[in-house]
Amino acid sequence: MSSSSPVVTKKARASKDAAGPVVIRVPEHTVEIVSDSGEGAQKCGQIFGQVSAKMGNGAWTVEIIPAEIQPPARSGPGASGNRIRIGTQPVTNWGDAANLVVAFNEQALLARHELEALHEDAIVLVENRWATHDDDDIRREWTTAMEVLGKQDYRIIPVPMEEQCLTVTDNPRRGKNMFVLGMLAWIYDRDIELIRDAIRQSFRKKAEAVARANIELMELGYRWAEANLDFRVEVPIEKPPTPMIVLNGNQALAMGAVAAGMDLCAMYPITPATSVSHYLGEIFEDFGGIVHQAEDEIAAAGVAIGASYAGKVAFTVTSGPGLALKTEFIGLATMTEVPLVVLDVQRGGPSTGLPTKVEQSDLLAALYGQPGDAPKVVMAPATIEECFHMVVTARRIAELFRCVVMVLTDANLATGVQPFPRPQLDPRWQAAPPDLRPVPEGVKPYDWDPASGLSRRFIPGQPGGMHTLTGLSHDEYSHVGYSPDVHERGCAMRSRKLAVFQTTLKPPGVYGDTKGDLLVVGWGSTKGAIEEAVDRARARGLRVSSLHLRILSPLEPGLKEIFSRFRKVATVEINYSDRLGDPYITRENRRLGQLAWLLRAHTLVDVDCWTRVPGQPLRPKGILEGIESMMPGGHA
Amino acid sequence: MPSDERTAAILAALAAPRDAYRSALAATLDEVRVYRDARREGAADRHMQLGASLGLVGVAHVDVDRLAAVLSVEAALEPAAQAVMPRALAVLESLAARGDDACALTLVPGENLYEAVSRLFADLGRAIGAGRVVDLARSGRYRPADHDRWLEAFPFGQWSQAERRMAPPVVIELEGSDLRPAGLAEFLDGGAKIVLVVHGETSPAPLVRLITPRTFVAQTADVAVVQRLAAWDGPGIAGIFPAGGARFVHDPGVAGGIGARLTITEVPTLDGRRRAGPFSATQQQDELDQLKALQGAAAADLAVPVAPQPATPADPVDKLAAWLLQQADLSGA
């Protein structure tokens, strides 16, 4: 999608006149709502995004989450909120900068400005109570911030949010977000009844009076905007041809688990993966499933393996630090060939890292985290829609190949909201009952097909199937092997399955021309931003294409041949790599992006990379700069 | 067939829990049909079935023909298992074709209430039995001698907890003299809901014996109570009684103790000492005494002052949990 270009370019008037508001008609618009943590900007943004999507706009939302649970009030790092990019066409990423910003205090606003999150001519609606606050320091901070912001081309409109909210509630801190939602509803002409419904739904677990009060505040904001603002924004709606569903990535994973006929989700709470189990916990029992919160990450993996061994369809969900703890059990599942799906909602690392921020830095840990040789399938959805559908695929592949399948999503997908076509559920996605026929004499628990490594799965209690399950290296009878030959054969058989799976994969498609100067390779949630950057680069005459991988182990076939059609290949990833030109960094010692390592190893192509770890999704503008820097002859 | 006009209103009010049962039935039916079609079609179709089972991402990225070539085809069903499939399908189809009144019946005077409800659940439960038979046949564990009878009747006692959660609501019309509710406790589990439409004289508070903390129990003359029963995500029984007798609603959906859950609007006194149906005067008085005892407990519960709760959790772990829950808002998808 191209950057927004207002039909009405003149600045919105300073005050409303009889001619009514100026309508800014644009193909897309990006709004940010920022507040202190706990003031509800996120809820406001979520409802605005959902309603926009339900009305038929393309939408993509990104949560702005502080790193701390209770950061200091009125501080830049404490800014909490939501960015919502809406468009006439589908929206695939959060874009570059916000066209409209609503700030509950000037410090949060200033922080967003410093992060270059605002478009150069953004309209800013900011709470004005700080200008006249009793505290001298606060008034001084306001003045300083306004001096900085006033030097920009922003149009800053002070809004008496608290003063207005006090006419309805005693605690405006708990109501400002709904007032702002009402303002946005008027500015963007949102369906007010849909908003009322969303508020009721949001507060469904509280007393009815709570929802009523919030609706009243929202309507107050709507009326205030109508009476006082002199501009509106119209992002035309083109109703999609098929019914759409609006979910965030974690909700999509949870619904995918239901659609895939999963029986058990074993987990331990960890940001940003926890909400998968929250959502599942509300609905899973209705479908015969169970969410089990284990005592820790290790136990959660163990429970899932145990259930799967017993014939159930089980998965575990976690994030980076949890994945590290599950390492030993994932090795056990690999060795015992117990089907297991592991959902890893990636965040910044290592260690506790960036719990609430996005990163794509678990790829190599997923691939090689286990000691010994532990081959497994690794997949990564590129969109929220794929989060749903990939769980179905992962479950099936895990069972067909008796292996571990890891699905890597990330915090960007987890909390982002995007509409996508309502899935047409297919009974064939559901897990078939496990084969419990009596085991014929002579069939072994690991009766490996010598060519493929595939074997029939035994379930405990199956007549004739009794055997010892062991994590020790074992032979076809599951007997502990003491000869070098046994371990060699077991490793070969487990590895062979991946090779077999690889031979069944289709080569990936190329976005753009199938040959050119630069091929950008990505994986996971960056797809939309990469393709938007590629579009812009191509519009500038650059011969750039992109390729987005979904299956990372085994790698999709034909990559070397595809790469050979481009003068240069480079990955774009949200993980760390050294930059040439930095002190001590040479071509010899430079550490690369994780996918770049992998592609080099597999294709022997000199794959370059452009990676960043800002703790937020990549912006098309940034990727475009990366593309320009990586055009043949340059290095990131 | 039900004769009381109130039964139609009651069936309408129970649409949501009945739809849950019918939805599960339809899903099972779909699954069995797809399985049947997959097995009777040729290799190409079987490849298509394999592809479909991979989901949309799988279809986009996996060459299904190549995958089928490396996987062993699902083992053939044994003849007995093959033979039972159409019978199971027929059971599911016949149940799916029934109207809403399949969940209702009228007792012939003198008929045993427990046995009638048991038969009704066993009949409706054939959907569960048929689903289980298909699963067993597909997994190679089907034994005609043990499992065939599930297609004829699948008693409530054999339903799993998950199956009980999807139990269809049932409506029974009966004479007050046939009302022996104690046996019905056996069916009050999962999501099972029973509505009794009672004609004629009965004891004054027969349903009080069924009150337990998580069971919805109502004795009233007002059909509207069925909507509350339908909204409750658990087991329950509502009796629609003629004039006279006790009136109360025990609704576990209301947060709080017994005082909040139990609303008693009428506790009659016994006029004379005579039998009502099978119940002696002593038994009738016992029911009323039990109701009064609950009334006292409810009043005492309401009189206990609620300890003030801290506005925010004090423990850091609780704070963290509260924050995470807040961040994970799952509103309105």
Side-chain angles (χ1 to χ4, degrees):
Chain A
M1 178 170 269
S2 61
S3 63
S4 75
S5 51
V7 172
V8 177
T9 53
K10 74 165 190 167
K11 291 230 166 184
R13 292 181 296 279
S15 63
K16 198 171 178 184
D17 61 24
V22 171
V23 177
I24 303 167
R25 193 166 194 271
V26 285
E28 62 156 89
H29 215 248
T30 302
V31 57
E32 273 196 10
I33 307 132
V34 285
S35 69
D36 279 343
S37 187
E39 286 188 306
Q42 284 180 7
K43 188 180 285 289
C44 169
Q46 285 161 2
I47 294 177
F48 180 74
Q50 284 169 6
V51 167
S52 296
K54 283 178 181 173
M55 288 178 66
N57 276 130
W60 184 280
T61 76
V62 172
E63 291 189 356
I64 300 160
I65 307 176
E68 298 165 279
I69 293 169
Q70 285 185 322
R74 290 175 41 76
S75 67
S80 168
N82 224 310
R83 174 185 283 195
I84 308 101
R85 187 184 185 195
I86 59 173
T88 301
Q89 300 297 319
V91 178
T92 62
N93 65 86
W94 76 332
D96 293 322
N99 307 103
L100 175 69
V101 178
V102 186
F104 291 32
N105 68 67
E106 83 291 344
Q107 293 305 311
L109 174 63
L110 191 60
R112 299 305 295 164
H113 160 74
E114 287 167 353
L115 287 168
E116 299 179 6
L118 277 67
H119 199 270
E120 58 189 14
D121 62 356
I123 299 173
V124 176
L125 301 170
V126 58
E127 162 70 88
N128 71 358
R129 68 176 287 246
W130 313 108
T132 55
H133 200 275
D134 293 340
D135 188 323
D136 292 343
D137 289 342
I138 289 179
R139 285 203 310 278
R140 213 169 9 254
E141 286 168 3
W142 166 275
T143 305
T144 306
M146 285 302 138
E147 281 171 7
V148 173
L149 296 166
K151 290 175 185 161
Q152 313 303 316
D153 279 342
Y154 307 143
R155 180 183 177 217
I156 300 174
I157 304 172
V159 179
M161 295 181 198
E162 181 154 329
E163 181 188 312
Q164 284 292 310
C165 290
L166 281 169
T167 64
V168 172
T169 176
D170 294 337
N171 184 0
R173 189 175 156 78
R174 286 184 166 274
K176 240 182 241 185
N177 61 339
M178 292 295 120
F179 178 84
V180 169
L181 180 60
M183 286 201 302
L184 294 174
W186 182 81
I187 293 169
Y188 290 92
D189 195 17
R190 302 293 83 170
D191 183 328
I192 205 78
E193 199 45 53
L194 277 181
I195 290 184
R196 288 193 189 103
D197 284 348
I199 293 172
R200 286 188 202 104
Q201 172 73 8
S202 185
F203 294 102
R204 67 190 183 281
K205 291 180 181 169
K206 297 190 174 171
E208 205 181 317
V210 176
R212 229 178 6 249
N214 279 280
I215 288 172
E216 197 178 344
L217 282 158
M218 182 275 292
E219 290 170 345
L220 178 70
Y222 188 98
R223 289 194 303 274
W224 186 90
E226 188 174 29
N228 293 281
L229 294 181
D230 60 3
F231 70 96
R232 298 185 88 172
V233 179
E234 182 188 349
V235 181
I237 289 170
E238 287 180 11
K239 278 278 183 192
T242 53
M244 305 291 274
I245 184 169
V246 185
L247 295 177
N248 69 36
N250 278 0
Q251 289 172 322
L253 287 174
M255 291 198 73
V258 174
M262 296 281 197
D263 296 307
L264 174 77
C265 166
M267 49 69 69
Y268 184 76
I270 185 166
T271 303
T274 313
S275 64
V276 174
S277 56
H278 288 167
Y279 188 61
L280 209 46
E282 289 189 1
I283 59 171
F284 212 16
E285 272 195 34
D286 291 340
F287 298 91
I290 294 172
V291 176
H292 172 69
Q293 181 178 324
E295 62 267 40
D296 58 36
E297 292 278 3
I298 301 170
V303 168
I305 292 169
S308 180
Y309 172 58
K312 294 293 179 184
V313 190
F315 73 103
T316 184
V317 55
T318 190
S319 189
L323 183 64
L325 291 166
K326 292 182 195 297
T327 293
E328 185 178 355
F329 264 139
I330 291 173
L332 176 68
T334 306
M335 178 63 99
T336 54
E337 302 189 41
V338 171
L340 178 68
V341 174
V342 180
L343 306 181
D344 174 19
V345 186
Q346 298 170 95
R347 67 192 215 183
S351 187
T352 320
L354 301 170
T356 59
K357 313 282 189 185
V358 63
E359 212 164 281
Q360 298 179 308
S361 50
D362 292 355
L363 174 57
L364 295 182
L367 279 166
Y368 304 120
Q370 283 68 47
D373 186 57
K376 64 186 81 65
V377 174
V378 179
M379 304 176 172
T383 63
I384 290 168
E385 180 179 13
E386 287 184 3
C387 287
F388 175 90
H389 292 290
M390 198 167 272
V391 180
V392 176
T393 308
R395 195 272 298 161
R396 189 73 170 121
I397 296 299
E399 287 176 355
L400 287 174
F401 288 87
R402 294 186 67 182
C403 67
V404 175
V405 177
M406 298 193 60
V407 178
L408 305 182
T409 77
D410 62 40
N412 184 25
L413 292 171
T415 58
V417 168
Q418 184 189 30
F420 62 86
R422 181 180 290 276
Q424 299 296 309
L425 300 180
D426 189 326
R428 290 169 293 192
W429 296 350
Q430 295 277 309
D435 184 351
L436 290 170
R437 288 169 299 151
V439 176
E441 201 167 333
V443 177
K444 306 156 199 155
Y446 297 96
D447 204 8
W448 293 308
D449 177 279
S452 67
L454 295 168
S455 58
R456 181 181 167 184
R457 176 182 171 200
F458 286 12
I459 305 294
Q462 204 167 348
M466 185 181 289
H467 66 282
T468 303
L469 190 74
T470 178
L472 288 166
S473 190
H474 53 77
D475 63 14
E476 291 89 335
Y477 292 94
S478 199
H479 294 160
V480 176
Y482 297 102
S483 73
D485 178 50
V486 166
H487 188 56
E488 187 82 37
R489 190 164 67 252
C491 284
M493 292 295 97
R494 290 186 292 275
S495 182
R496 192 72 51 78
K497 292 188 292 185
L498 243 66
V500 170
F501 180 45
Q502 195 268 351
T503 64
T504 72
L505 296 177
K506 298 174 185 171
V510 173
Y511 182 78
D513 293 338
T514 54
K515 59 182 179 181
D517 290 333
L518 176 66
L519 179 70
V520 175
V521 186
W523 63 286
S525 67
T526 52
K527 178 172 180 283
I530 288 175
E531 290 181 354
E532 188 167 329
V534 165
D535 286 342
R536 291 187 201 174
R538 292 169 65 83
R540 293 183 185 185
L542 299 179
R543 297 180 68 228
V544 180
S545 300
S546 67
L547 181 154
H548 215 78
L549 293 167
R550 307 314 200 282
I551 299 174
L552 298 146
S553 171
L555 275 170
E556 294 170 36
L559 292 180
K560 190 162 187 172
E561 192 279 323
I562 294 171
F563 291 179
S564 71
R565 293 187 242 132
F566 291 85
R567 290 178 64 202
K568 183 170 179 178
V569 179
T571 65
V572 167
E573 308 175 60
I574 315 178
N575 53 47
Y576 185 76
S577 65
D578 292 327
R579 298 186 201 180
L580 286 173
D582 281 356
Y584 295 100
I585 302 302
T586 66
R587 288 182 190 282
E588 189 179 8
N589 66 18
R590 182 187 181 202
R591 295 174 65 249
L592 300 169
Q594 299 194 3
L595 179 60
W597 282 125
L598 192 63
L599 294 177
R600 281 174 164 239
H602 276 262
T603 65
L604 295 181
V605 171
D606 185 11
V607 177
D608 197 358
C609 65
W610 183 90
T611 76
R612 294 292 183 270
V613 282
Q616 54 183 331
L618 299 180
R619 300 175 190 178
K621 183 181 168 190
I623 297 173
L624 179 60
E625 289 166 6
I627 286 173
E628 287 172 337
S629 73
M630 288 190 296
M631 289 308 288
H635 262 290
Chain B
M1 290 291 288
S3 59
D4 192 307
E5 61 188 19
R6 290 172 297 179
T7 300
I10 292 166
L11 284 170
L14 291 170
R18 189 172 53 251
D19 286 350
Y21 163 78
R22 297 184 72 88
S23 166
L25 173 59
T28 308
L29 190 52
D30 268 4
E31 200 175 334
V32 177
R33 281 178 178 151
V34 164
Y35 179 73
R36 176 199 61 189
D37 294 346
R39 297 197 72 84
R40 71 181 178 200
E41 287 161 354
D45 297 302
R46 278 201 293 277
H47 289 192
M48 202 175 75
Q49 303 290 341
L50 173 65
S53 76
L54 294 171
L56 298 191
V57 170
V59 169
H61 295 278
V62 176
D63 183 322
V64 176
D65 288 340
R66 274 190 237 150
L67 181 64
V70 298
L71 296 173
S72 55
V73 180
E74 198 176 343
L77 291 184
E78 292 164 3
Q82 213 160 351
V84 80
M85 284 289 185
R87 287 164 50 213
L89 191 60
V91 167
L92 292 166
E93 284 172 336
S94 73
L95 287 168
R98 286 188 186 176
D100 292 347
D101 58 3
C103 297
L105 62 82
T106 303
L107 255 58
V108 176
E111 194 177 353
N112 185 300
L113 173 63
Y114 169 81
E115 286 175 5
V117 172
S118 185
R119 267 199 311 276
L120 183 55
F121 274 125
D123 180 50
L124 296 167
R126 290 187 300 142
I128 296 164
R132 286 210 198 173
V133 163
V134 170
D135 268 7
L136 289 165
R138 291 177 67 183
S139 61
R141 291 176 297 157
Y142 168 67
R143 294 186 301 276
D146 295 334
H147 305 133
D148 268 2
R149 58 174 173 267
W150 294 355
L151 300 178
E152 308 301 325
F154 194 68
F156 189 84
Q158 290 181 252
W159 299 15
S160 70
Q161 203 56 37
E163 289 159 352
R164 289 178 181 206
R165 281 182 60 82
M166 284 183 280
V170 298
V171 183
I172 318 290
E173 274 184 50
L174 74 165
E175 293 299 323
S177 55
D178 294 325
L179 180 55
R180 294 171 176 81
L184 299 182
E186 179 181 319
F187 305 108
L188 296 176
D189 191 23
K193 294 174 175 61
I194 300 170
V195 180
L196 304 174
V197 181
V198 183
H199 304 285
E201 192 183 14
T202 184
S203 63
L207 300 190
V208 75
R209 294 168 187 268
L210 298 173
I211 293 178
T212 57
R214 279 173 291 280
T215 305
F216 184 105
V217 182
Q219 183 172 317
T220 175
D222 184 2
V223 173
V225 79
V226 180
Q227 284 173 347
R228 286 178 68 182
L229 171 64
W232 164 235
D233 183 27
I237 183 167
I240 312 299
F241 285 73
R247 296 287 179 260
F248 63 86
V249 178
H250 175 256
D251 185 352
V254 179
I258 182 76
R261 297 197 309 264
L262 183 63
T263 308
I264 300 173
T265 48
E266 182 72 43
V267 183
T269 49
L270 281 181
D271 50 348
R273 296 178 68 83
R274 59 190 178 85
R275 296 180 70 86
F279 298 105
S280 70
T282 309
Q283 286 175 304
Q284 295 172 52
Q285 188 59 52
D286 251 12
E287 289 170 356
L288 290 174
D289 289 347
Q290 174 69 1
L291 189 58
K292 284 175 189 163
L294 287 171
Q295 192 172 30
D301 180 51
L302 289 174
V304 175
V306 178
Q309 298 295 315
T312 52
D315 183 82
V317 176
D318 290 343
K319 276 186 183 173
L320 174 63
W323 181 83
L324 287 170
L325 287 168
Q326 180 196 340
Q327 294 303 314
D329 173 54
L330 294 168
S331 56

